[in-house]
Amino acid sequence: MSAQLLRHAVPRSTAARFALRTMSSSASAVAYPRPHLIPKSGTYPAGWVAGGLASGVKKDGLKDLTLVASPNHPITASAVFTQNSFAAAPVQVSKAIVKEAATVRALIVNSGCANACTGEQGTKDAWRMSREVDAALGGGGERGAASSTRPKTLVMSTGVIGQHLDMDKIVAGITQLTQNVGPAHDNWLSAAEGIMTTDTFPKLRSTVFEGDYRMAGWSKGAGMIHPNMATMLSAVFTDASITKPCLDAATRYAADRSFNAISIDGDTSTNDTFAVLANAATEGAAVIDDLESDAHRLFRDRLTQFAAELAKLIVRDGEGATKFVEIHVKGAKTFADARQVSSTIATSPLVKTALYGQDANWGRVVCAVGYSGVPVTPEKVNLHLSTPAIDEPLHLFKNGAPFDTDEEKAARILEHEDLKLEIGLGEGSEEATMYTTDLTHGYITINADYRS
Amino acid sequence: MSAQLLRHAVPRSTAARFALRTMSSSASAVAYPRPHLIPKSGTYPAGWVAGGLASGVKKDGLKDLTLVASPNHPITASAVFTQNSFAAAPVQVSKAIVKEAATVRALIVNSGCANACTGEQGTKDAWRMSREVDAALGGGGERGAASSTRPKTLVMSTGVIGQHLDMDKIVAGITQLTQNVGPAHDNWLSAAEGIMTTDTFPKLRSTVFEGDYRMAGWSKGAGMIHPNMATMLSAVFTDASITKPCLDAATRYAADRSFNAISIDGDTSTNDTFAVLANAATEGAAVIDDLESDAHRLFRDRLTQFAAELAKLIVRDGEGATKFVEIHVKGAKTFADARQVSSTIATSPLVKTALYGQDANWGRVVCAVGYSGVPVTPEKVNLHLSTPAIDEPLHLFKNGAPFDTDEEKAARILEHEDLKLEIGLGEGSEEATMYTTDLTHGYITINADYRS
């Protein structure tokens, strides 16, 4: 048990030890855990530059400021935001920009301070971050707190709630960062590092759709009991040429099938944001401008799959997690029913601690199905446990009663990191999938000590 | 941190070490933690006998069978049961008995095996437990599995789901137990011990309402993240004289204001039950038979307060808990709103881990208010933190912004076991209170290892 605790505690302190303690935008020499999840190279969308550095907002000297810009091509932007009543200042600012501006300038993100519950000063600070980036990138916008021009750089923040940003550090960081962004893999990796909080590794992906366009993106977020309670940030950058209505539709569609599949409706942090930015820098490509076209459906599906990859990386890095768990509910009367049952299981602390203990405690799963609020017929309920590494699933619960509860078989499955619980309700043909983690000592350690 | 872990881990193993390993009904020599919460004596209601022993269902030799009976006075009984779709066999049996029988014979409880998800055999076993007690107490009812007479002893079970009861042990235990019950404090303490699962101490209370009647009762249950997910059992026994309609009304009223104040609606285990049994053994007392009478209201309020005591003991013994937290939401438009906000805070793992870390992380509390689904106006929200040991509460959050975030003051409050979070919404005049615990390493240890 202490070994499992250490598995996650050590990388964090290792990261802190290796951290570059001066302001720097070079890709860090941090030795991350699970290096196989971090790309060593990538082909990035045309026209974009990225970077990240340590501005000093984070006390431990780790990177805390990230900029992605498209200096020569105006950006079409879409985003979905948290529904939390206490939506943070950067959320309000970015929401206004996405709504009002035809194109945006760039995206600036800081980590270490969420700029949430910070009142009027917080709103001013978020607008100033946007304005400072506009000015530093040149071509319009005045610097300083008092400008009257509406800036056009999107802003995201993540970290501790209720503290004001140290704007001196942020502004100095922005000045240096705008001079140190670039199009290379190392720049993008730095950008993915600058948004991390309790994440143990940077989450960066890039892909080329041959003959069409490219996408790059990063994500962050870690608290995985109720997935959306820790701030989830993600952005996807593409050189595709797409109109705002088409991008809006694709963004909403993708969010529902990626980040919302690791989330509980309404259960969101003050800062959650998923943004998609397109700069049309691909040469000679046709514009995606028809919601009913094959080109739009293709873009939408590609974005969905790409976003799902970024979402699953968040689950894989759930705070203290030792398991990656897919919860697939089928045979429901409606999608809403399937979603409610899968959410209930995915947020059951008793199910999650059992998975951590590698205990085939199907009783806790069935119990969660029973109190989900969805009417079920016990005699129709089935439960299978499986892992991709072993062909045959274990049929733990059959038609309302325990069935194949072979503890040895279960133990062989449960020792794997990737697990799948499949619940059949036998009431209809709708289904839903949620991704979650186990609940561990590591989670408690991380969250009991977060601010200290 | 490891010290806090040990605080709860050690007593359990101590308990196991001191346990009487033979079948015995004497009050145990177990050295429990927090002895101040366990009464050393009591005055119990007239006509009742109680007892508990180790039948061998629990592998560790601890008590696992409890009987409370009223040999010479018929019992009027009321109960509220879990809403879980997978309601366990004993729930179905007790529900039928309470509904159909004018009076009941006794209450039998086993721990270690929940007899849930056990199909037809489970139902047969639960009925047989009832029948065996009836027969052992004498005066009607045949023994054995095949009797056709409907027995009249209420049944409760708690423990692992999906395993069949070892009926040989249960039946032998019942035979011995019926010969070893008694009216003394030690008998009642044994009864409270026989229902424990992950509880660290027996929860027993008794009280005398001078000139009127007496009440005794016990409770059990421990998993406190979503409070109702661990089985909650409780029963109150009185020598008051009360009709069934009056007892039904009082039981429902009391449950709503006691056990449901530590619970989330619909979020219940397969076995949860709260029963109230009255045997009218007080001599010459007036019958409580009018719902509108002062006598009924007095009984109802006394029962509510008594049940609340038993409910709070469950919170105080929350699995791995180091804090007892009262969450008081006021200024809501409706009671339902107040309840929803307090429930959301009470089930937030981030709030609960912060309390464990003695971290005045009001941001997590405010965040939970924000995603509760209840519309709030950030500028009207206030949050106070306090402990009974210190007069002045700390006004952490005032009208939508952090206010008195004095970390030293907060630390002095947070080092106490009893904490109170008071949230003012400023929208109306309704209020609600929930009781909960922190979320700790102890919880993970207990629940990851429960079956092994």
Short mmCIF file of all heavy atoms in Angstrom, two decimals, chain A residues 84-85 117 162 225 229 266-267 348-350 353 359 362 364 366-367 370-371 378 402 407 441 443 445 447-448 450-451, chain B residues 84-86 117 162 225 229 266-267 348-350 353 357 359 362 364 367 370-371 378 402 407 441 443 445 447-448 450-451:
data_model
loop_
_atom_site.label_atom_id
_atom_site.label_comp_id
_atom_site.label_asym_id
_atom_site.label_seq_id
_atom_site.Cartn_x
_atom_site.Cartn_y
_atom_site.Cartn_z
N ASN A 84 -20.60 26.36 -13.18
CA ASN A 84 -20.55 26.73 -11.77
C ASN A 84 -20.99 28.18 -11.55
O ASN A 84 -20.59 29.08 -12.29
CB ASN A 84 -19.11 26.53 -11.24
CG ASN A 84 -19.06 26.52 -9.73
OD1 ASN A 84 -19.42 27.49 -9.07
ND2 ASN A 84 -18.62 25.40 -9.16
N SER A 85 -21.82 28.41 -10.50
CA SER A 85 -22.30 29.76 -10.20
C SER A 85 -21.15 30.71 -9.90
O SER A 85 -21.27 31.92 -10.06
CB SER A 85 -23.23 29.75 -8.99
OG SER A 85 -24.37 28.97 -9.24
N CYS A 117 -13.32 33.63 -7.36
CA CYS A 117 -13.78 34.28 -6.12
C CYS A 117 -12.85 35.43 -5.77
O CYS A 117 -12.46 35.60 -4.62
CB CYS A 117 -13.86 33.29 -4.95
SG CYS A 117 -15.02 31.97 -5.23
N GLY A 162 -9.53 31.95 -4.79
CA GLY A 162 -9.68 33.02 -3.82
C GLY A 162 -8.42 33.82 -3.54
O GLY A 162 -8.40 34.64 -2.63
N ILE A 225 -12.55 11.99 -8.33
CA ILE A 225 -13.66 11.30 -7.68
C ILE A 225 -14.95 11.77 -8.33
O ILE A 225 -15.65 11.00 -8.94
CB ILE A 225 -13.69 11.60 -6.18
CG1 ILE A 225 -12.45 11.03 -5.51
CG2 ILE A 225 -14.93 10.96 -5.58
CD1 ILE A 225 -12.62 10.89 -4.04
N MET A 229 -14.61 18.22 -10.45
CA MET A 229 -14.36 19.11 -9.32
C MET A 229 -12.97 19.72 -9.34
O MET A 229 -12.78 20.82 -8.85
CB MET A 229 -14.60 18.36 -8.02
CG MET A 229 -16.08 18.13 -7.81
SD MET A 229 -16.38 17.23 -6.33
CE MET A 229 -15.78 18.39 -5.12
N GLY A 266 -23.28 19.40 -14.23
CA GLY A 266 -23.50 20.36 -13.17
C GLY A 266 -22.46 20.29 -12.07
O GLY A 266 -22.47 21.09 -11.15
N ASP A 267 -21.57 19.36 -12.15
CA ASP A 267 -20.63 19.11 -11.08
C ASP A 267 -19.26 19.62 -11.50
O ASP A 267 -18.31 18.86 -11.64
CB ASP A 267 -20.60 17.60 -10.85
CG ASP A 267 -20.00 17.22 -9.51
OD1 ASP A 267 -19.31 18.07 -8.91
OD2 ASP A 267 -20.21 16.11 -9.09
N SER A 348 -18.94 6.32 -6.95
CA SER A 348 -19.12 5.61 -5.69
C SER A 348 -17.77 5.38 -5.02
O SER A 348 -16.93 4.64 -5.52
CB SER A 348 -19.79 4.26 -5.94
OG SER A 348 -19.51 3.40 -4.85
N PRO A 349 -17.54 6.00 -3.88
CA PRO A 349 -16.25 5.80 -3.18
C PRO A 349 -16.03 4.34 -2.79
O PRO A 349 -14.89 3.89 -2.76
CB PRO A 349 -16.38 6.67 -1.93
CG PRO A 349 -17.54 7.56 -2.16
CD PRO A 349 -18.43 6.90 -3.15
N LEU A 350 -17.14 3.63 -2.52
CA LEU A 350 -16.97 2.23 -2.13
C LEU A 350 -16.53 1.38 -3.32
O LEU A 350 -15.71 0.47 -3.18
CB LEU A 350 -18.26 1.69 -1.51
CG LEU A 350 -18.54 2.22 -0.10
CD1 LEU A 350 -19.89 1.71 0.40
CD2 LEU A 350 -17.45 1.82 0.88
N THR A 353 -12.75 2.42 -3.95
CA THR A 353 -11.77 1.89 -3.00
C THR A 353 -11.61 0.39 -3.20
O THR A 353 -10.52 -0.15 -3.02
CB THR A 353 -12.16 2.19 -1.54
OG1 THR A 353 -13.54 1.87 -1.35
CG2 THR A 353 -11.93 3.65 -1.20
N ASP A 359 -10.19 -5.74 -5.24
CA ASP A 359 -11.20 -6.57 -4.61
C ASP A 359 -12.39 -6.66 -5.57
O ASP A 359 -12.96 -5.65 -5.94
CB ASP A 359 -11.60 -5.88 -3.29
CG ASP A 359 -12.74 -6.59 -2.57
OD1 ASP A 359 -13.16 -7.66 -3.03
OD2 ASP A 359 -13.19 -6.04 -1.55
N TRP A 362 -18.23 -6.98 -6.33
CA TRP A 362 -19.33 -6.65 -7.25
C TRP A 362 -20.55 -6.16 -6.46
O TRP A 362 -21.40 -5.47 -7.01
CB TRP A 362 -19.70 -7.88 -8.08
CG TRP A 362 -19.97 -9.05 -7.21
CD1 TRP A 362 -19.09 -10.01 -6.86
CD2 TRP A 362 -21.17 -9.33 -6.51
NE1 TRP A 362 -19.67 -10.88 -5.99
CE2 TRP A 362 -20.96 -10.49 -5.76
CE3 TRP A 362 -22.41 -8.72 -6.47
CZ2 TRP A 362 -21.93 -11.05 -4.95
CZ3 TRP A 362 -23.39 -9.27 -5.65
CH2 TRP A 362 -23.14 -10.42 -4.91
N ARG A 364 -20.71 -3.92 -4.27
CA ARG A 364 -20.74 -2.46 -4.21
C ARG A 364 -21.19 -1.87 -5.54
O ARG A 364 -21.83 -0.83 -5.57
CB ARG A 364 -19.35 -1.93 -3.83
CG ARG A 364 -18.94 -2.34 -2.43
CD ARG A 364 -17.59 -1.73 -2.06
NE ARG A 364 -17.15 -2.18 -0.74
CZ ARG A 364 -16.00 -1.86 -0.18
NH1 ARG A 364 -15.15 -1.08 -0.84
NH2 ARG A 364 -15.68 -2.30 1.01
N VAL A 366 -23.25 -3.38 -7.73
CA VAL A 366 -24.68 -3.65 -7.82
C VAL A 366 -25.46 -2.71 -6.89
O VAL A 366 -26.52 -2.19 -7.24
CB VAL A 366 -24.94 -5.13 -7.47
CG1 VAL A 366 -26.42 -5.37 -7.24
CG2 VAL A 366 -24.42 -6.03 -8.59
N CYS A 367 -24.92 -2.46 -5.72
CA CYS A 367 -25.55 -1.55 -4.77
C CYS A 367 -25.67 -0.15 -5.38
O CYS A 367 -26.71 0.50 -5.26
CB CYS A 367 -24.73 -1.52 -3.47
SG CYS A 367 -25.46 -0.50 -2.19
N GLY A 370 -28.35 0.00 -7.76
CA GLY A 370 -29.63 0.00 -7.05
C GLY A 370 -30.03 1.35 -6.49
O GLY A 370 -31.21 1.64 -6.37
N TYR A 371 -29.05 2.19 -6.13
CA TYR A 371 -29.44 3.49 -5.57
C TYR A 371 -29.26 4.63 -6.57
O TYR A 371 -29.36 5.80 -6.22
CB TYR A 371 -28.72 3.79 -4.24
CG TYR A 371 -27.24 4.07 -4.31
CD1 TYR A 371 -26.75 5.25 -4.86
CD2 TYR A 371 -26.32 3.17 -3.80
CE1 TYR A 371 -25.40 5.51 -4.90
CE2 TYR A 371 -24.98 3.41 -3.84
CZ TYR A 371 -24.52 4.59 -4.40
OH TYR A 371 -23.18 4.83 -4.45
N PRO A 378 -33.91 -6.24 -10.56
CA PRO A 378 -32.73 -6.99 -10.13
C PRO A 378 -32.48 -8.25 -10.96
O PRO A 378 -31.35 -8.53 -11.34
CB PRO A 378 -33.04 -7.32 -8.66
CG PRO A 378 -33.88 -6.18 -8.20
CD PRO A 378 -34.72 -5.79 -9.40
N PRO A 402 -25.09 -13.48 -7.73
CA PRO A 402 -23.66 -13.71 -8.00
C PRO A 402 -23.50 -14.95 -8.87
O PRO A 402 -24.24 -15.92 -8.71
CB PRO A 402 -23.06 -13.91 -6.62
CG PRO A 402 -24.21 -14.13 -5.69
CD PRO A 402 -25.39 -13.48 -6.30
N GLU A 407 -12.39 -16.04 -7.26
CA GLU A 407 -11.53 -14.98 -6.72
C GLU A 407 -10.17 -14.94 -7.41
O GLU A 407 -9.58 -13.89 -7.59
CB GLU A 407 -11.32 -15.16 -5.20
CG GLU A 407 -12.59 -15.08 -4.37
CD GLU A 407 -13.00 -13.64 -4.02
OE1 GLU A 407 -12.19 -12.71 -4.24
OE2 GLU A 407 -14.15 -13.44 -3.56
N HIS A 441 -5.00 6.06 -1.36
CA HIS A 441 -4.26 6.86 -0.38
C HIS A 441 -3.60 8.06 -1.05
O HIS A 441 -3.51 9.14 -0.46
CB HIS A 441 -3.18 6.00 0.28
CG HIS A 441 -3.74 5.07 1.31
ND1 HIS A 441 -4.31 5.51 2.47
CD2 HIS A 441 -3.82 3.72 1.34
CE1 HIS A 441 -4.72 4.47 3.18
NE2 HIS A 441 -4.45 3.36 2.51
N TYR A 443 -4.72 9.89 -3.44
CA TYR A 443 -5.70 10.97 -3.59
C TYR A 443 -5.80 11.77 -2.30
O TYR A 443 -5.81 13.00 -2.30
CB TYR A 443 -7.08 10.40 -3.96
CG TYR A 443 -8.13 11.48 -4.08
CD1 TYR A 443 -8.34 12.14 -5.27
CD2 TYR A 443 -8.88 11.87 -2.97
CE1 TYR A 443 -9.27 13.15 -5.38
CE2 TYR A 443 -9.81 12.88 -3.06
CZ TYR A 443 -10.02 13.52 -4.26
OH TYR A 443 -10.93 14.53 -4.34
N THR A 445 -3.64 12.01 0.16
CA THR A 445 -2.39 12.74 0.43
C THR A 445 -2.34 14.02 -0.40
O THR A 445 -2.06 15.10 0.12
CB THR A 445 -1.18 11.85 0.10
OG1 THR A 445 -1.26 10.68 0.91
CG2 THR A 445 0.12 12.58 0.37
N ASN A 447 -4.76 15.74 -1.82
CA ASN A 447 -5.80 16.74 -1.56
C ASN A 447 -5.84 17.25 -0.13
O ASN A 447 -6.40 18.31 0.13
CB ASN A 447 -7.17 16.21 -2.00
CG ASN A 447 -7.28 16.22 -3.50
OD1 ASN A 447 -7.22 17.28 -4.11
ND2 ASN A 447 -7.37 15.05 -4.10
N ALA A 448 -5.28 16.49 0.79
CA ALA A 448 -5.22 17.00 2.17
C ALA A 448 -4.07 17.97 2.31
O ALA A 448 -4.04 18.80 3.21
CB ALA A 448 -5.07 15.84 3.15
N TYR A 450 -2.82 19.93 -0.40
CA TYR A 450 -2.68 20.69 -1.64
C TYR A 450 -2.09 22.07 -1.45
O TYR A 450 -1.21 22.48 -2.18
CB TYR A 450 -4.05 20.79 -2.32
CG TYR A 450 -4.03 21.49 -3.66
CD1 TYR A 450 -3.18 21.07 -4.67
CD2 TYR A 450 -4.89 22.56 -3.91
CE1 TYR A 450 -3.18 21.70 -5.90
CE2 TYR A 450 -4.89 23.19 -5.14
CZ TYR A 450 -4.04 22.76 -6.13
OH TYR A 450 -4.05 23.39 -7.34
N ARG A 451 -2.59 22.80 -0.43
CA ARG A 451 -2.14 24.20 -0.30
C ARG A 451 -0.85 24.34 0.48
O ARG A 451 -0.20 25.37 0.43
CB ARG A 451 -3.22 25.03 0.40
CG ARG A 451 -4.50 25.11 -0.40
CD ARG A 451 -5.28 26.32 0.01
NE ARG A 451 -5.33 26.47 1.46
CZ ARG A 451 -5.80 27.55 2.06
NH1 ARG A 451 -6.24 28.57 1.35
NH2 ARG A 451 -5.85 27.61 3.37
N ASN B 84 -33.28 1.22 -2.00
CA ASN B 84 -32.44 0.57 -3.00
C ASN B 84 -33.21 -0.51 -3.77
O ASN B 84 -33.93 -1.30 -3.16
CB ASN B 84 -31.20 -0.03 -2.33
CG ASN B 84 -30.11 -0.38 -3.33
OD1 ASN B 84 -30.30 -1.20 -4.21
ND2 ASN B 84 -28.96 0.26 -3.19
N SER B 85 -33.03 -0.53 -5.11
CA SER B 85 -33.72 -1.55 -5.94
C SER B 85 -33.33 -2.96 -5.53
O SER B 85 -34.08 -3.90 -5.76
CB SER B 85 -33.38 -1.35 -7.42
OG SER B 85 -33.82 -0.11 -7.88
N PHE B 86 -32.11 -3.10 -4.99
CA PHE B 86 -31.65 -4.41 -4.57
C PHE B 86 -31.87 -4.62 -3.07
O PHE B 86 -31.00 -5.15 -2.38
CB PHE B 86 -30.17 -4.59 -4.92
CG PHE B 86 -29.89 -4.74 -6.38
CD1 PHE B 86 -29.73 -3.62 -7.19
CD2 PHE B 86 -29.81 -5.98 -6.97
CE1 PHE B 86 -29.48 -3.74 -8.54
CE2 PHE B 86 -29.57 -6.12 -8.33
CZ PHE B 86 -29.40 -5.00 -9.13
N CYS B 117 -28.69 -9.67 -2.44
CA CYS B 117 -28.38 -10.26 -3.75
C CYS B 117 -28.18 -11.77 -3.58
O CYS B 117 -27.23 -12.34 -4.13
CB CYS B 117 -27.15 -9.64 -4.37
SG CYS B 117 -27.33 -7.89 -4.70
N GLY B 162 -24.05 -10.54 -1.19
CA GLY B 162 -23.95 -11.59 -2.20
C GLY B 162 -23.46 -12.93 -1.68
O GLY B 162 -23.21 -13.83 -2.45
N ILE B 225 -18.76 8.74 3.31
CA ILE B 225 -18.59 9.71 2.22
C ILE B 225 -19.96 10.04 1.66
O ILE B 225 -20.42 11.16 1.72
CB ILE B 225 -17.69 9.15 1.12
CG1 ILE B 225 -16.28 8.96 1.65
CG2 ILE B 225 -17.67 10.13 -0.03
CD1 ILE B 225 -15.27 8.82 0.58
N MET B 229 -24.27 4.78 2.04
CA MET B 229 -23.76 3.67 1.26
C MET B 229 -23.32 2.50 2.13
O MET B 229 -23.39 1.36 1.71
CB MET B 229 -22.63 4.14 0.38
CG MET B 229 -23.17 5.00 -0.74
SD MET B 229 -21.87 5.57 -1.79
CE MET B 229 -21.26 4.04 -2.42
N GLY B 266 -32.18 8.58 -1.70
CA GLY B 266 -31.98 7.65 -2.81
C GLY B 266 -30.61 7.01 -2.81
O GLY B 266 -30.34 6.13 -3.61
N ASP B 267 -29.77 7.44 -1.91
CA ASP B 267 -28.38 6.99 -1.93
C ASP B 267 -28.18 6.00 -0.79
O ASP B 267 -27.40 6.23 0.13
CB ASP B 267 -27.51 8.23 -1.75
CG ASP B 267 -26.07 8.00 -2.13
OD1 ASP B 267 -25.66 6.83 -2.21
OD2 ASP B 267 -25.37 8.98 -2.33
N SER B 348 -18.68 16.31 -0.88
CA SER B 348 -17.56 16.74 -1.71
C SER B 348 -16.25 16.16 -1.18
O SER B 348 -15.80 16.51 -0.09
CB SER B 348 -17.45 18.27 -1.72
OG SER B 348 -16.15 18.65 -2.11
N PRO B 349 -15.62 15.29 -1.93
CA PRO B 349 -14.35 14.71 -1.47
C PRO B 349 -13.27 15.77 -1.28
O PRO B 349 -12.41 15.63 -0.41
CB PRO B 349 -13.95 13.76 -2.60
CG PRO B 349 -15.16 13.57 -3.44
CD PRO B 349 -16.02 14.76 -3.24
N LEU B 350 -13.34 16.84 -2.08
CA LEU B 350 -12.32 17.89 -1.93
C LEU B 350 -12.51 18.67 -0.63
O LEU B 350 -11.54 19.03 0.03
CB LEU B 350 -12.33 18.82 -3.14
CG LEU B 350 -11.76 18.21 -4.43
CD1 LEU B 350 -11.91 19.18 -5.59
CD2 LEU B 350 -10.29 17.83 -4.26
N THR B 353 -11.39 16.13 2.22
CA THR B 353 -9.95 15.94 2.36
C THR B 353 -9.29 17.20 2.92
O THR B 353 -8.32 17.11 3.66
CB THR B 353 -9.28 15.55 1.02
OG1 THR B 353 -9.74 16.42 -0.01
CG2 THR B 353 -9.60 14.12 0.64
N GLY B 357 -6.97 17.53 6.18
CA GLY B 357 -5.66 18.21 6.17
C GLY B 357 -5.64 19.46 7.03
O GLY B 357 -4.64 20.17 7.06
N ASP B 359 -7.07 22.22 6.61
CA ASP B 359 -6.79 23.28 5.65
C ASP B 359 -8.06 24.11 5.49
O ASP B 359 -9.11 23.59 5.13
CB ASP B 359 -6.41 22.59 4.32
CG ASP B 359 -6.21 23.58 3.18
OD1 ASP B 359 -6.27 24.80 3.42
OD2 ASP B 359 -5.98 23.10 2.05
N TRP B 362 -11.63 27.29 2.00
CA TRP B 362 -13.01 27.71 1.80
C TRP B 362 -13.36 27.68 0.32
O TRP B 362 -14.54 27.60 -0.05
CB TRP B 362 -13.22 29.11 2.38
CG TRP B 362 -12.22 30.06 1.84
CD1 TRP B 362 -11.03 30.39 2.42
CD2 TRP B 362 -12.25 30.72 0.58
NE1 TRP B 362 -10.33 31.23 1.59
CE2 TRP B 362 -11.07 31.44 0.46
CE3 TRP B 362 -13.17 30.76 -0.44
CZ2 TRP B 362 -10.77 32.20 -0.66
CZ3 TRP B 362 -12.89 31.52 -1.57
CH2 TRP B 362 -11.68 32.23 -1.66
N ARG B 364 -12.97 25.38 -1.80
CA ARG B 364 -13.62 24.12 -2.16
C ARG B 364 -15.08 24.10 -1.69
O ARG B 364 -15.93 23.51 -2.33
CB ARG B 364 -12.86 22.94 -1.57
CG ARG B 364 -11.45 22.80 -2.15
CD ARG B 364 -10.75 21.57 -1.59
NE ARG B 364 -9.39 21.48 -2.10
CZ ARG B 364 -8.51 20.53 -1.73
NH1 ARG B 364 -8.88 19.62 -0.85
NH2 ARG B 364 -7.31 20.51 -2.24
N CYS B 367 -16.94 26.38 -4.03
CA CYS B 367 -17.05 25.70 -5.31
C CYS B 367 -18.20 24.70 -5.28
O CYS B 367 -18.99 24.60 -6.22
CB CYS B 367 -15.73 25.03 -5.64
SG CYS B 367 -15.71 24.21 -7.24
N GLY B 370 -21.39 26.31 -5.54
CA GLY B 370 -21.59 26.76 -6.93
C GLY B 370 -22.06 25.68 -7.87
O GLY B 370 -22.75 25.97 -8.84
N TYR B 371 -21.66 24.42 -7.63
CA TYR B 371 -22.09 23.37 -8.55
C TYR B 371 -23.23 22.52 -7.97
O TYR B 371 -23.59 21.49 -8.54
CB TYR B 371 -20.91 22.50 -9.01
CG TYR B 371 -20.29 21.58 -7.99
CD1 TYR B 371 -20.96 20.44 -7.52
CD2 TYR B 371 -19.02 21.81 -7.51
CE1 TYR B 371 -20.39 19.59 -6.60
CE2 TYR B 371 -18.43 20.97 -6.59
CZ TYR B 371 -19.12 19.87 -6.14
OH TYR B 371 -18.54 19.04 -5.22
N PRO B 378 -23.45 34.86 -6.18
CA PRO B 378 -22.16 34.86 -5.48
C PRO B 378 -22.01 36.00 -4.47
O PRO B 378 -21.53 35.78 -3.36
CB PRO B 378 -21.15 34.99 -6.64
CG PRO B 378 -21.82 34.29 -7.78
CD PRO B 378 -23.29 34.61 -7.63
N PRO B 402 -13.29 36.34 -0.43
CA PRO B 402 -12.60 35.93 0.80
C PRO B 402 -12.54 37.10 1.77
O PRO B 402 -12.37 38.24 1.36
CB PRO B 402 -11.21 35.52 0.32
CG PRO B 402 -11.07 36.05 -1.07
CD PRO B 402 -12.45 36.17 -1.62
N GLU B 407 -4.85 32.49 8.63
CA GLU B 407 -4.51 31.06 8.65
C GLU B 407 -4.27 30.54 10.06
O GLU B 407 -4.57 29.40 10.37
CB GLU B 407 -3.26 30.79 7.78
CG GLU B 407 -3.41 31.15 6.31
CD GLU B 407 -4.05 30.03 5.48
OE1 GLU B 407 -4.18 28.91 5.99
OE2 GLU B 407 -4.43 30.30 4.32
N HIS B 441 -7.06 8.86 5.08
CA HIS B 441 -6.34 7.62 4.76
C HIS B 441 -7.01 6.41 5.42
O HIS B 441 -7.06 5.33 4.84
CB HIS B 441 -4.89 7.70 5.23
CG HIS B 441 -4.04 8.55 4.35
ND1 HIS B 441 -3.74 8.20 3.06
CD2 HIS B 441 -3.43 9.74 4.57
CE1 HIS B 441 -2.99 9.14 2.51
NE2 HIS B 441 -2.78 10.08 3.40
N TYR B 443 -10.14 5.88 5.89
CA TYR B 443 -11.28 5.44 5.08
C TYR B 443 -10.81 4.53 3.95
O TYR B 443 -11.41 3.48 3.69
CB TYR B 443 -12.02 6.65 4.49
CG TYR B 443 -13.19 6.24 3.61
CD1 TYR B 443 -14.45 6.03 4.14
CD2 TYR B 443 -13.00 6.01 2.25
CE1 TYR B 443 -15.50 5.61 3.35
CE2 TYR B 443 -14.05 5.59 1.44
CZ TYR B 443 -15.30 5.40 2.00
OH TYR B 443 -16.32 4.98 1.20
N THR B 445 -8.03 2.79 3.72
CA THR B 445 -7.51 1.53 4.25
C THR B 445 -8.65 0.58 4.60
O THR B 445 -8.65 -0.58 4.20
CB THR B 445 -6.67 1.80 5.51
OG1 THR B 445 -5.59 2.66 5.15
CG2 THR B 445 -6.11 0.50 6.08
N ASN B 447 -11.77 0.53 3.50
CA ASN B 447 -12.62 0.10 2.40
C ASN B 447 -11.89 -0.62 1.28
O ASN B 447 -12.51 -1.34 0.50
CB ASN B 447 -13.42 1.28 1.86
CG ASN B 447 -14.53 1.63 2.81
OD1 ASN B 447 -15.42 0.83 3.05
ND2 ASN B 447 -14.45 2.80 3.42
N ALA B 448 -10.58 -0.43 1.20
CA ALA B 448 -9.82 -1.19 0.19
C ALA B 448 -9.55 -2.60 0.70
O ALA B 448 -9.31 -3.50 -0.08
CB ALA B 448 -8.51 -0.47 -0.13
N TYR B 450 -11.69 -4.29 3.00
CA TYR B 450 -12.84 -4.74 3.78
C TYR B 450 -13.03 -6.25 3.76
O TYR B 450 -13.26 -6.86 4.80
CB TYR B 450 -14.10 -4.05 3.27
CG TYR B 450 -15.35 -4.37 4.05
CD1 TYR B 450 -15.40 -4.19 5.43
CD2 TYR B 450 -16.49 -4.84 3.42
CE1 TYR B 450 -16.55 -4.46 6.14
CE2 TYR B 450 -17.64 -5.12 4.13
CZ TYR B 450 -17.67 -4.94 5.49
OH TYR B 450 -18.82 -5.21 6.18
N ARG B 451 -12.92 -6.86 2.58
CA ARG B 451 -13.23 -8.28 2.50
C ARG B 451 -12.07 -9.18 2.84
O ARG B 451 -12.24 -10.36 3.11
CB ARG B 451 -13.72 -8.64 1.09
CG ARG B 451 -15.02 -7.94 0.71
CD ARG B 451 -15.73 -8.72 -0.36
NE ARG B 451 -14.81 -9.11 -1.42
CZ ARG B 451 -15.13 -9.93 -2.40
NH1 ARG B 451 -16.34 -10.44 -2.44
NH2 ARG B 451 -14.27 -10.23 -3.33
#
